[in-house]
Amino acid sequence: MQFTSCVLSRRRFAAAVLAPVVLPNTARAEAANWGFAPDTQGIDAARLEAILGDGARTAGLRTLVVARNGKLVGERHYAVAGAGAIQQVNSATKGVVSMLVGIALAQGRLRSLEATVGELLAEAVAKAPDAPANNVTLRQILTGTSGLTYDWSKSYFEMLRASDPVGYVLALPMGGGGWNYNDAAVSLLTPILQSAWRMPLAEIARRELFAPLAIGHFAWRQDARRSQLAYAGLQLGTRDLLKLAQLVVDEGRWQGTQVVPAAWIAESTRRHAGDAWPLPPIANSGYGYLWFTGTLHGHAVAWAWGYGGQFALAVPALRLSIATAATDPPPHQLQAQTHGIMRLAARVVEATA
């Protein structure tokens, strides 16, 4: 079954569809894999309750979920959102794709981060042998340093409408150096991973990541070639989004099982490119391998970041993970909403002993 998604204020995915996937025994799997703590695990209980209450007055926030020591300690749903609802995580999708790259490297399906687009997508680049993207490495894609020209306000919608999404990216010229948030470059990870596994991206994620995490229900937008987007479009329940942050906290383990290589978690959540978008009160914002990095109240943090304030925030030193779901605001409200949601999450970090 496939169904057309609702229209979003920022991203008009008129041609894209969502492909829902449901694993069996969803409710039983969920109950077995997120334990509820009998207390707040060292987070100040009164302050946590106040934070959850203030979420109702935080613009755009739909869900806030908090875990410490691998146990749920706080959860609040606002507006019409519920515990079982899947919601758009927007560009937090990239956090999932980063983990899949790490798994592919560990399994030997990808040679190295120095492999180029020309090597990884030989059939596609044969049609564009002089494309600037051909010399871009996997590492450059992951760190936002491909150098390809990209302006989301124009290129995002053009790329979605393109009959040949890979060809569209191969036609892009080189721009400036340094860090540039680049959905076009990241989009190449879909055919790269699908070539490595010889299966659709959604099936790779289901088998290698979601099934081990007991994520039983998700949906994922597709491009014109009916391939899932690597840069956005995933829908998850907020508890399941929280599991991504928990994987970072637990060095790639879930309930004692190694799901993502620990070395990859460490590398992907370490700063590789600087001067990423500021997100107060986080300081020293940088970029790892599709994960943002920084410091918050003196602690190193890493987060997957989706448009509007969809966050999977990990604070490994405190064994703390936080996830949020939010509405999709018009661009003129974006900064205020995103910063407001992160300020609320930062209060949880501050309240944690």
Side-chain angles (χ1 to χ4, degrees), residues 32-53:
N33 283 276
W34 262 129
F36 286 87
D39 53 36
T40 57
Q41 298 286 295
I43 303 175
D44 185 288
R47 293 169 72 181
L48 180 58
E49 181 59 32
I51 292 164
L52 292 170

Side-chain angles (χ1 to χ4, degrees), residues 34 65-68 70 242 245-246 249 313-315 319-323:
W34 262 129
V65 189
V66 180
R68 187 150 199 230
L242 184 68
Q246 190 63 40
V249 168
L313 175 69
V315 193
R319 295 195 48 73
L320 177 70
S321 54
I322 302 167

Side-chain angles (χ1 to χ4, degrees), residues 269-286:
T269 59
R270 180 174 68 83
R271 182 188 181 107
H272 292 280
D275 301 322
W277 293 328
L279 185 59
I282 292 175
N284 305 314
S285 290

Side-chain angles (χ1 to χ4, degrees), residues 88-113:
Q88 292 281 0
V89 303
N90 296 333
S91 286
T93 302
K94 295 180 178 72
V96 168
V97 173
S98 172
M99 291 179 175
L100 295 179
V101 171
I103 294 169
L105 286 164
Q107 293 181 1
R109 298 178 185 276
L110 293 174
R111 176 177 60 80
S112 79
L113 292 180

